[in-house]
Amino acid sequence: MRRILLSIFGLLFVSVMLLACSSDGNDGDSDQTPSDGDQIDEDGDTPDGDEDGDSAEDEEKEPDGEELAWEEPPACGSGSYSHRYMIPGPEETGYDAELDALALNYERQFHAVVAYPMAVNADVSVADEENRALLNAFLRESDGWDFEAHSGKPITEAVSAWHKVAGLYAGAGIVADAFRYGALRDQGAPCEEIERAKGFLLDSLEAMHLGMSIANVPGVAVRGFMRTDIPGYGLDLETTPVFDEQGNPLPEEKNNGTWREDQSGLYPNYKFEDSCSRDMILGWAAASAAASEVIRHDPAFSEEVKARLRDDAKAVVDQLQVVRDNGYDLEILDVDGRTTYHGYLNEHSVERDLYIRSFENGFYALMTLGIVGGFCYAAEDDACQQYLLDELIDQRELPRIARDEMVYMDMGLESNYSNYNMGFMSAWLASRYVNDEATREAVLQSITTQLYGQAGVPLHPAGTKMSLFDFTLAAAQTGGSRFSQPSNEPENQPVQDGVETLKAFPQPPYWDVAVTQCDEDELASGECTFSDGTETVVHFEGGRKGSTVCEDPIPKAIRRGSNYEWRSNPYQPNGGGDGSGLLPGVDFRVAYWIGRYTRLPDSAE
């Protein structure tokens, strides 16, 4: 009966759902503990999309080009290279040594502290002031990578708690690891630096494989995981069996993450969280694609590591292709055999398992292009590419839907920046890893018209100087991808804006401290002056979920901290913690190394 009513009143229903999703947080899932106090929660025929009834078997869409050839890197330590990059390297005009030094310090904070026990991103708490002082001295008064050698204390005694690993943020860190290694290798950096970066990348790939294998079901990536033998979140973690004695999945009602024991027998000191959502799988997809790009032809990496990366990526797409009992594909499989709580990517999904065949969801279409595109690139599999190019792109027209039918983005004062983060990261993946020029052009148009918006319009990303968003636009504008050399100079403004924000990140350690840009009187009056003198209109509790937002973005230099800047709303004036949280800086890292690794045309126009 519900399906009949939906088909009759479909347009009205979709309108209501769009309004509802603007307030209840469609897909804005933050698995990290938000530093600003704004807990962001995520929110039947098989579609064939081909009006004349032709199937995928009738005519296959061919890729537009071959993958770019492997270029032998310069000798390590030579500092010799000829290409140009979005953020200039050491041998280029415009190289910023201070920004490079800041980036190096974030690498030291990340690998010596944040990722020390699990190799990938996690929030960190340091409760004791004396230990915070030791971290200050280590990161600001030395240049080493060994905290214990400098401080005389193991890092496991200085840190009071590591929090859980979550796919989106772990994946972002792996992208940074991959592109950092790639940039250093391709730009002839000192041999020791390249070797250290290679070690970090290998460690993070081991951690990603854990996330792909601990559930012991092919194609099931976990939402997150945690060690149980280090200080913090994992020490007293209670778990739930996957099934009850009768074989029924637990919990009875699917939720947005349940902790489980290792199902593989390989990781006795780890537990994992199930119900991998859209944003979490997006992180794993980005990591898979970036790592594959960097190591695919590099003889420094073993065939075993490369094959494992291919196999894990292919298994995920194999599961996404399965048409479920409801008649739809593109649903994320969980360890218990059910679709995860926020595991719906099909372009006809309104939200979760509510489908309307006539409804086209441009947000999910863009995410699918990025996620499937990224995993298919990493899988190096012809059948995977056929599914992407022939069915999803040619028959079902996901590029057109992503370009023309964007939803859940521009919600005015109630816009959800977690959704913007997912949109831009998906667009970056699709514009780099999909082997179809028309699709990449549609994605560029989607970025420009559907995501970025216009500077000066409240809650639009344009003008907010969110580095990842700025670099995504600029990278797409170059026309460069894994299948095409960059041929266009990007606009100067987005690149300048993105670099400006990176330079405004504080020197590590990056402590989570409270920031108030609009005091109580200003909130009551609706008029606020930031500490840099900017005058703005403030909407007290007028934003998403009753948050307070301004009509002008707060510059990074005076903005509250965040454990992942690109999913936090830059229009929120107040927030932050008590100073005991160590923000991981993975947001800085992923944006900076995307900029350092993204090539521009070899000759400036």
Side-chain angles (χ1 to χ4, degrees):
M1 178 61 70
R2 184 180 69 174
R3 298 285 182 188
I4 296 174
L5 290 174
L6 286 174
S7 65
I8 296 173
F9 300 108
L11 292 176
L12 176 61
F13 183 80
V14 171
S15 299
V16 173
M17 286 299 297
L18 287 173
L19 290 174
C21 286
S22 72
S23 61
D24 68 9
N26 178 66
D27 230 304
D29 176 30
S30 172
D31 267 287
Q32 306 294 79
T33 305
S35 60
D36 54 16
D38 180 19
Q39 180 64 45
I40 302 178
D41 50 47
E42 230 191 4
D43 42 12
D45 293 328
T46 304
D48 57 26
D50 194 17
E51 295 180 359
D52 62 10
D54 290 340
S55 66
E57 290 76 18
D58 292 329
E59 182 179 353
E60 293 184 9
K61 181 177 178 64
E62 294 295 328
D64 278 357
E66 297 293 329
E67 184 180 8
L68 297 179
W70 161 257
E71 296 184 18
E72 195 69 30
C76 66
S78 68
S80 174
Y81 64 95
S82 59
H83 297 308
R84 299 171 58 237
Y85 296 88
M86 185 184 300
I87 297 179
E91 296 301 310
E92 298 170 69
T93 301
Y95 171 65
D96 189 328
E98 290 186 4
L99 180 59
D100 194 22
L102 180 63
L104 180 62
N105 235 11
Y106 270 105
E107 293 300 317
R108 293 175 60 234
Q109 174 185 277
F110 189 82
H111 289 292
V113 184
V114 172
Y116 178 85
M118 293 181 285
V120 286
N121 188 77
D123 281 1
V124 173
S125 297
V126 184
D128 184 78
E129 289 187 8
E130 180 180 342
N131 288 328
R132 293 202 290 272
L134 290 177
L135 279 166
N136 285 338
F138 170 62
L139 289 168
R140 295 175 182 173
E141 300 173 12
S142 77
D143 59 3
W145 294 83
D146 188 332
F147 175 82
E148 183 174 2
H150 180 270
S151 306
K153 176 184 288 191
I155 191 63
T156 50
E157 294 181 9
V159 169
S160 53
W162 277 276
H163 303 277
K164 67 178 179 179
V165 167
L168 174 62
Y169 317 105
I174 297 171
V175 172
D177 287 338
F179 284 174
R180 179 172 186 259
Y181 168 78
L184 296 177
R185 175 197 65 194
D186 296 348
Q187 296 174 18
C191 302
E192 182 182 5
E193 287 187 36
I194 296 174
E195 194 62 25
R196 181 182 292 116
K198 174 191 168 187
F200 292 146
L201 177 55
L202 283 170
D203 289 346
S204 64
L205 291 179
E206 289 285 345
M208 182 166 68
H209 179 62
L210 182 157
M212 297 287 187
S213 59
I214 193 171
N216 204 33
V217 178
V220 171
V222 303
R223 182 184 195 81
F225 53 80
M226 187 66 208
R227 270 182 66 170
T228 58
D229 57 351
I230 58 173
Y233 190 81
L235 291 177
D236 300 310
L237 201 56
E238 295 184 2
T239 57
T240 300
V242 178
F243 302 102
D244 65 18
E245 294 179 355
Q246 288 73 44
N248 300 310
L250 295 173
E252 182 177 349
E253 182 177 349
K254 194 66 181 169
N255 61 24
N256 203 25
T258 297
W259 283 95
R260 314 286 195 180
E261 298 289 340
D262 167 33
Q263 301 295 300
S264 69
L266 300 174
Y267 308 103
N269 60 331
Y270 279 85
K271 296 176 181 179
F272 73 92
E273 189 177 29
D274 71 359
S275 209
C276 187
S277 50
R278 285 169 288 241
D279 51 353
M280 298 299 129
I281 202 76
L282 175 63
W284 297 130
S288 299
S292 178
E293 172 180 352
V294 169
I295 76 171
R296 179 172 295 184
H297 302 291
D298 190 332
F301 292 81
S302 70
E303 179 55 31
E304 178 184 3
V305 169
K306 297 172 185 179
R308 188 179 63 192
L309 181 60
R310 292 194 299 267
D311 292 345
D312 285 345
K314 183 179 183 300
V316 174
V317 181
D318 285 347
Q319 289 292 357
L320 289 173
Q321 290 184 67
V322 173
V323 177
R324 307 299 174 188
D325 291 342
N326 59 14
Y328 292 89
D329 62 355
L330 294 173
E331 294 187 4
I332 303 171
L333 181 71
D334 211 348
V335 63
D336 57 15
R338 296 181 286 185
T339 299
T340 65
Y341 188 80
H342 282 296
Y344 301 85
L345 285 163
N346 190 282
E347 69 273 22
H348 297 295
S349 171
V350 178
E351 167 60 6
R352 299 197 62 207
D353 62 344
L354 295 179
Y355 287 94
I356 300 177
R357 185 57 181 273
S358 61
F359 173 62
E360 294 183 331
N361 190 324
F363 179 31
Y364 293 180
L366 182 59
M367 289 200 73
T368 295
L369 289 172
I371 291 168
V372 176
F375 277 129
C376 279
Y377 175 80
E380 301 184 59
D381 180 73
D382 291 341
C384 189
Q385 287 293 334
Q386 181 180 338
Y387 173 65
L388 172 64
L389 296 173
D390 191 44
E391 182 171 346
L392 298 181
I393 291 175
D394 194 35
Q395 293 187 34
R396 288 159 62 173
E397 300 182 340
L398 294 197
R400 175 191 60 78
I401 297 172
R403 182 192 65 204
D404 299 339
E405 305 294 340
M406 190 62 64
V407 294
Y408 308 138
M409 288 295 175
D410 184 1
M411 297 289 186
L413 296 179
E414 295 192 349
S415 293
N416 179 359
Y417 263 75
S418 183
N419 284 357
Y420 273 121
N421 173 62
M422 288 184 280
F424 277 98
M425 181 57 82
S426 298
W428 176 77
L429 278 171
S431 64
R432 188 168 187 86
Y433 297 109
V434 174
N435 192 359
D436 183 69
E437 185 177 359
T439 294
R440 298 195 298 269
E441 177 59 32
V443 169
L444 173 57
Q445 293 179 40
S446 181
I447 296 169
T448 304
T449 64
Q450 304 279 7
L451 297 180
Y452 206 65
Q454 296 179 326
V457 177
L459 275 293
H460 276 194
T464 59
K465 303 179 181 179
M466 297 282 271
S467 306
L468 183 65
F469 303 174
D470 295 323
F471 295 165
T472 296
L473 171 62
Q477 288 175 335
T478 70
S481 73
R482 288 307 302 144
F483 313 98
S484 57
Q485 296 286 3
S487 56
N488 305 310
E489 290 292 322
E491 295 178 44
N492 288 329
Q493 196 62 53
V495 177
Q496 291 174 1
D497 284 352
V499 169
E500 179 181 327
T501 287
L502 291 180
K503 293 171 70 172
F505 270 75
Q507 280 288 344
Y510 184 9
W511 299 113
D512 183 16
V513 297
V515 172
T516 300
Q517 289 298 333
C518 300
D519 61 27
E520 292 184 3
D521 291 339
E522 290 173 315
L523 295 177
S525 70
E527 297 180 354
C528 175
T529 302
F530 299 154
S531 59
D532 67 352
T534 300
E535 296 180 355
T536 190
V537 174
V538 58
H539 299 268
F540 177 59
E541 297 183 349
R544 176 177 171 270
K545 287 193 168 185
S547 60
T548 295
V549 292
C550 297
E551 292 192 2
D552 291 281
I554 295 85
K556 174 58 186 171
I558 59 172
R559 193 184 304 165
R560 74 206 186 289
S562 173
N563 58 7
Y564 197 70
E565 191 74 48
W566 321 132
R567 65 100 178 121
S568 294
N569 192 330
Y571 291 88
Q572 291 182 350
N574 303 332
D578 63 2
S580 64
L582 179 66
L583 299 174
V586 70
D587 38 17
F588 176 99
R589 296 180 65 239
V590 68
Y592 178 78
W593 289 108
I594 282 176
R596 277 288 304 272
Y597 189 75
T598 298
R599 281 179 50 184
L600 301 179
D602 285 339
S603 297
E605 294 181 357

